[in-house]
Amino acid sequence: MAQDIVTRFAPSPTGFLHIGGARTALFNWLFAKHAGGRMLLRIEDTDRARSTQEAVDALIDGLTWLGLDWDGDPISQFSRVDRHREVVEQMLADGTAYRCYSTPEELDAMREKARAEGRPPRYDGTWRDRDASEAPAGAAAVIRIKAPREGDTVVDDMVQGRVVIPNKDLDDFVLMRSDGTPTYMHAVVVDDHDMGITHIIRGVDHLTNAARQTLIFKALGWDVPAMAHIPLIHGPDGAKLSKRHGATGAEAYRAMGYLPQAMRNYLARLGWSHGDDEIMALDDMIKWFGMDAVGQSAARFDFKKLENLNGHYMRSTPDPELLDHWKIYLGHAENGDAVLSWLAAGDHENVALAALPGLKERAKTLVELTESASYLWRQRPLDTDEKAKKILDADAGTILGDLHGVLSAVNDWTAEPLEAAVKGYAEDKELKLGKVAQPLRAALTGRGTSPGIYDVLTALGREESLARIQDQAA
């Protein structure tokens, strides 16, 4: 029987879902879905100062927005401290761990001596073979692993290949602190074993932890999960993606008007590829995904590519679904509540749906779509931008006065007859269409640029359109 694949996403709650963490979650999710397996969620919340419920909620919110679900309930690492202690006691009994009573001052002296001798600053094993009876009275002990000093530890990584670390370079690191709390290194191993994790997929910055964690697995006689350390995400300048590059959290991209399906597609292509495919349906990503196509080189985040990809998804998303995404965005956008209130009133959702086909053709983000759509909820008399003010001169007023009469005679208020009426007027007056369309656009939207004027007329409806034209007519 084939192995049941179980992956995990194990973030520390920092107040948001880092975009690098989001890509790690996506890779774990795709790998599990591809194999018909499961992805579990573990919150590594042992740092109690940072691990607030608000921080956990922010992680959950980011994953949910991206559409990355998990199997079962999220697991709190902190809630498992008793289990971590139990395993350490087992290791002490087995002789694979020992109590160390070295003081902070003694540890500092060891490090200084190692540096002076040109060696890496590591613990020297002072208490490795000493009896606890030799400890000073009342001294607190940490618990260290009794790591092998000969041979190598090998990590056969699914992305990085065979990584060999001499055991002499791996010191007897701490498993349990003197206050009885587990170290990250120890807790992760116990949790991964107990959760039945078969594949650990995480950033290459964790590769240095892989050898030490392998030592713990082997000391306990447990199977070591397969490991895949994926490349980091760098900014456009080639440096590791950080706050100075702008948005680093998933919630920031939501507030910038990106769609979750565009983010998933873009993040999937950061470090993984399937031929020359750039735009991938989610089902195809699941079908194609594998660690064999993940590269070793750092991926560069290209905001322009993301914007262009988002524009594709804006255009291809069905209007009712796009409206749902728009409302989610507005819930997190500055002044979004006012637009949500407008949408909730009367028949305005249908008005917005009628306008979306024209709006989404010209918008690459939901921010741009909101700006383009703002003519829908502006109150008369409209405020006008500088370009619209220049257009709305005396000649424009005369044209708008004529158009009010022409359009008032149109009984079927849909795009085709409205277009025929406007073009017919331009021909009768021997005017270029732009000379007619520009004043009409400015009068209807208060802006010099907008969606197509026939889309605007139909979205606003007969009564509101004619009233706005009349406001600017001579």
Side-chain angles (χ1 to χ4, degrees):
M1 177 179 273
Q3 179 188 35
D4 291 330
I5 300 298
V6 184
T7 67
R8 48 74 159 176
F9 177 53
S12 299
T14 56
F16 63 92
L17 175 62
H18 189 279
I19 207 66
R23 197 270 306 262
T24 298
L26 176 63
F27 279 22
N28 276 280
W29 188 87
L30 288 171
F31 188 82
K33 292 288 184 185
H34 174 82
R38 296 177 295 139
M39 183 183 85
L40 307 182
L41 175 62
R42 181 172 74 232
I43 308 297
E44 299 196 333
D45 54 357
T46 51
D47 184 345
R48 305 311 292 164
R50 301 174 70 191
S51 302
T52 63
Q53 188 57 47
E54 290 78 10
V56 174
D57 290 345
L59 275 172
I60 300 292
D61 178 52
L63 289 170
T64 302
W65 175 67
L66 284 168
L68 302 180
D69 55 354
W70 54 91
D71 293 278
D73 294 328
I75 294 168
S76 162
Q77 190 171 67
F78 178 73
S79 70
R80 293 177 41 78
V81 167
D82 288 345
R83 169 62 175 158
H84 303 144
R85 291 176 183 144
E86 174 190 305
V87 173
V88 162
E89 291 298 327
Q90 176 188 332
M91 294 179 72
L92 286 169
D94 292 344
T96 56
Y98 62 93
R99 288 185 172 87
C100 167
Y101 295 91
S102 295
T103 65
E105 292 75 19
E106 288 171 334
L107 293 171
D108 286 342
M110 287 178 206
R111 294 186 189 102
E112 287 304 318
K113 182 181 178 184
R115 287 191 186 97
E117 295 175 356
R119 294 182 288 110
R122 295 193 176 96
Y123 174 69
D124 66 4
T126 295
W127 284 91
R128 183 180 172 99
D129 297 309
R130 292 174 68 180
D131 192 272
S133 63
E134 298 180 42
V142 300
I143 298 173
R144 294 179 179 272
I145 190 171
K146 188 176 279 188
R149 290 180 164 177
E150 305 295 327
D152 300 317
T153 294
V154 177
V155 178
D156 284 312
D157 194 86
M158 298 170 69
V159 174
Q160 303 300 326
R162 185 176 176 85
V163 181
V164 180
I165 301 95
N167 286 332
K168 64 180 178 63
D169 294 339
L170 300 172
D171 61 353
D172 292 353
F173 52 89
V174 176
L175 302 172
M176 190 75 72
R177 302 179 185 92
S178 59
D179 63 0
T181 60
T183 61
Y184 163 82
M185 206 70 66
H186 174 64
V188 164
V189 170
V190 177
D191 292 344
D192 283 341
H193 171 264
D194 289 1
M195 292 166 66
I197 302 304
T198 62
H199 292 73
I200 296 171
I201 302 169
R202 57 190 176 184
V204 73
D205 51 334
H206 284 278
L207 186 57
T208 55
N209 297 332
R212 289 185 169 87
Q213 289 164 3
T214 296
L215 289 182
I216 301 173
F217 276 110
K218 289 184 174 179
L220 288 160
W222 294 343
D223 290 338
V224 182
M227 296 188 186
H229 289 86
I230 59 179
L232 299 180
I233 300 175
H234 287 179
D237 59 357
K240 185 177 177 181
L241 193 66
S242 64
K243 288 181 180 179
R244 67 188 179 84
H245 293 109
T248 55
E251 86 295 339
Y253 290 88
R254 177 175 58 196
M256 290 161 64
Y258 294 106
L259 297 175
Q261 54 268 48
M263 288 302 302
R264 284 196 306 262
N265 190 156
Y266 186 70
L267 289 174
R269 288 287 288 109
L270 285 178
W272 171 74
S273 62
H274 183 268
D276 295 328
D277 293 294
E278 293 288 344
I279 296 169
M280 305 179 188
L282 188 57
D283 287 346
D284 286 335
M285 280 193 269
I286 293 171
K287 181 170 68 176
W288 296 334
F289 191 80
M291 302 313 300
D292 56 331
V294 176
Q296 294 183 359
S297 301
R300 288 203 184 194
F301 202 102
D302 187 325
F303 288 91
K304 197 68 179 175
K305 280 188 178 179
L306 172 59
E307 188 175 90
N308 289 334
L309 187 64
N310 200 69
H312 163 80
Y313 278 99
M314 294 276 288
R315 294 186 295 274
S316 61
T317 299
D319 295 335
E321 183 183 339
L322 186 59
L323 179 62
D324 289 338
H325 287 301
W326 191 17
K327 288 193 284 188
I328 291 170
Y329 155 74
L330 290 169
H332 298 273
E334 189 177 352
N335 301 321
D337 287 347
V339 183
L340 284 171
S341 296
W342 176 84
L343 279 168
D347 194 40
H348 290 167
E349 275 207 11
N350 286 328
V351 172
L353 280 170
L356 274 178
L359 290 168
K360 69 184 187 180
E361 286 299 317
R362 293 168 171 80
K364 289 185 176 179
T365 67
L366 291 169
V367 174
E368 292 180 3
L369 186 140
T370 304
E371 172 57 29
S372 296
S374 61
Y375 73 87
L376 293 171
W377 51 82
R378 287 202 183 102
Q379 298 296 307
R380 298 174 47 227
L382 300 186
D383 62 310
T384 53
D385 65 16
E386 288 304 313
K387 189 173 181 180
K389 285 176 182 174
K390 289 180 180 178
I391 293 169
L392 293 170
D393 56 15
D395 289 342
T398 301
I399 290 170
L400 290 168
D402 292 343
L403 281 174
H404 186 275
V406 169
L407 294 175
S408 295
V410 177
N411 295 317
D412 179 10
W413 200 265
T414 57
E416 197 169 319
L418 288 168
E419 183 176 0
V422 172
K423 286 183 175 179
Y425 169 75
E427 289 173 5
D428 288 345
K429 296 293 185 178
E430 297 183 349
L431 295 170
K432 290 184 178 179
L433 185 59
K435 187 71 175 176
V436 177
Q438 286 183 358
L440 185 55
R441 174 179 290 110
L444 292 169
T445 68
R447 300 292 181 263
T449 57
S450 77
I453 55 172
Y454 310 114
D455 292 331
V456 171
L457 284 164
T458 54
L460 287 173
R462 179 190 183 88
E463 183 178 339
E464 181 68 17
S465 295
L466 291 173
R468 291 187 184 193
I469 295 168
Q470 184 63 53
D471 286 345
Q472 301 294 341

